[in-house]
Amino acid sequence: MGKVISIANQKGGVGKTTTAINLAASLAAIEHPTLILDIDPQSNTTSGLGIESKTVEKSIYEVMVGGVDATEAVRETDLPFLDLLPSHINLVGAEIEMIDRNERERILEKAIVELRDKYDFIIIDCPPSLGLLTINSLTASDSVVIPVQCEYFALEGLGQLLNTIKIVRQHLNTDLEIEGVLLTMYDTRTRLSDQVAEEVRKYFEDRVFEAIIARNVRLAEAPSFGKPALLYDSTSKGAKNYLALAREIIHRNKNMFKNSPVFAN
């Protein structure tokens, strides 16, 4: 059974979608079958992988609200070992449509049961909020990666996210763990990035990933071409940073893959 990891932070502009796309692509590049699930109504992960959301007939919206089998909504991407369960703008109304459903917080968990057996990793790109869609994601996940940008007010609002994770753990998903805190948008030219990194490590201690995502032009350009950084420019610093993150996550979960021939990669 594969591991489900949510990428979550209700604060926008922290590199959440960039992390979802490039972590998933990096895991796939190491030949771990990976599914990226776009549960953000903005559909940036979907477009960032070269799929126009307006052309999508079956998306996570139809899965969660319309009862469509999740396996029918999965699409292949340009990268071997990487599939996508796309989003659509219709998802913006999903929380209202789900409000009267029984076990509304577990709709996604139930929908992806079959998918967990097909992939080593399922990466969920959560919306920048702590609403019902994010609650569904956390309830369906084994762990959560929290991107934190190396800028002023980096820790602002994280208390609310941590409290939400605590509530989900208490009432919906006792096994939910923090996979790690990821430092993003690190600028080697400024002292501020070092100061923020130190502050985050002081707060989260050993839960901070060793891999750091540096500011990188190629990484920022890649989504406009509908590609992860690995396909857009595999030699870029951004692509290498996310490969390092993928390897770190695989190593942290090495017991899952002790019999896998690709773990040696």
Side-chain angles (χ1 to χ4, degrees):
M1 180 178 288
K3 182 163 191 175
V4 182
I5 303 175
S6 279
I7 314 297
N9 191 330
Q10 80 275 20
K11 187 176 181 181
V14 299
K16 180 179 58 61
T17 296
T18 298
T19 295
I21 292 174
N22 290 287
L23 171 58
S26 297
L27 291 168
I30 307 174
E31 298 186 0
H32 283 284
T34 302
L35 173 70
I36 184 165
L37 196 163
D38 188 357
I39 200 168
D40 187 343
Q42 298 178 76
S43 307
N44 290 334
T45 290
T46 299
S47 61
L49 288 171
I51 296 175
E52 175 56 55
S53 63
K54 293 179 181 178
T55 67
V56 173
E57 294 182 2
K58 294 180 180 178
S59 69
I60 191 62
Y61 171 78
E62 282 75 22
V63 171
M64 296 186 71
V65 177
V68 169
D69 192 310
T71 58
E72 296 179 14
V74 172
R75 299 176 61 151
E76 295 181 350
T77 72
D78 292 334
L79 193 65
F81 296 99
L82 180 63
D83 289 341
L84 166 71
L85 208 172
S87 182
H88 191 278
I89 189 61
N90 289 344
L91 192 61
V92 74
E95 293 190 349
I96 296 175
E97 295 180 63
M98 294 189 298
I99 199 73
D100 292 325
R101 295 268 296 271
N102 290 331
E103 296 196 301
R104 60 193 180 195
E105 299 89 357
R106 298 188 181 276
I107 294 172
L108 183 62
E109 178 187 21
K110 294 175 181 178
I112 65 172
V113 168
E114 289 185 43
L115 293 176
R116 290 185 67 132
D117 293 328
K118 297 181 63 177
Y119 300 95
D120 286 351
F121 291 98
I122 297 177
I123 306 298
I124 304 178
D125 182 22
C126 298
S129 70
L130 295 178
L132 191 52
L133 291 174
T134 296
I135 297 297
N136 262 267
S137 300
L138 296 176
T139 302
S141 295
D142 299 301
S143 64
V144 54
V145 168
I146 305 172
V148 176
Q149 81 281 30
C150 293
E151 297 179 355
Y152 283 117
F153 308 121
L155 297 176
E156 187 180 63
L158 280 185
Q160 188 178 359
L161 173 61
L162 295 175
N163 188 54
T164 298
I165 292 172
K166 179 181 179 181
I167 291 171
V168 169
R169 189 182 287 140
Q170 289 175 337
H171 301 285
L172 296 165
N173 181 2
T174 57
D175 296 325
L176 181 64
E177 299 178 348
I178 294 178
E179 187 74 28
V181 177
L182 177 66
L183 293 166
T184 64
M185 304 179 187
Y186 184 88
D187 192 336
T188 56
R189 300 168 300 178
T190 68
R191 290 181 57 191
L192 175 62
S193 285
D194 287 331
Q195 292 169 352
V196 171
E198 183 179 349
E199 184 180 7
V200 171
R201 289 194 180 100
K202 186 182 299 182
Y203 189 84
F204 287 102
E205 300 178 335
D206 60 355
R207 289 187 291 184
V208 180
F209 288 110
E210 292 182 14
I212 295 176
I213 311 304
R215 281 194 178 277
N216 179 245
V217 173
R218 308 299 273 174
L219 189 62
E221 291 174 345
S224 64
F225 290 87
K227 296 180 179 181
L230 270 174
L231 291 183
Y232 181 62
D233 184 352
S234 62
T235 65
S236 66
K237 184 181 292 185
K240 292 176 180 178
N241 289 164
Y242 277 109
L243 271 172
L245 174 64
R247 292 185 185 280
E248 190 171 347
I249 286 177
I250 291 169
H251 182 74
R252 289 187 179 195
N253 294 278
K254 58 185 177 181
N255 290 336
M256 289 177 56
F257 308 109
K258 57 186 177 182
N259 296 321
S260 171
V262 303
F263 180 67
N265 294 337

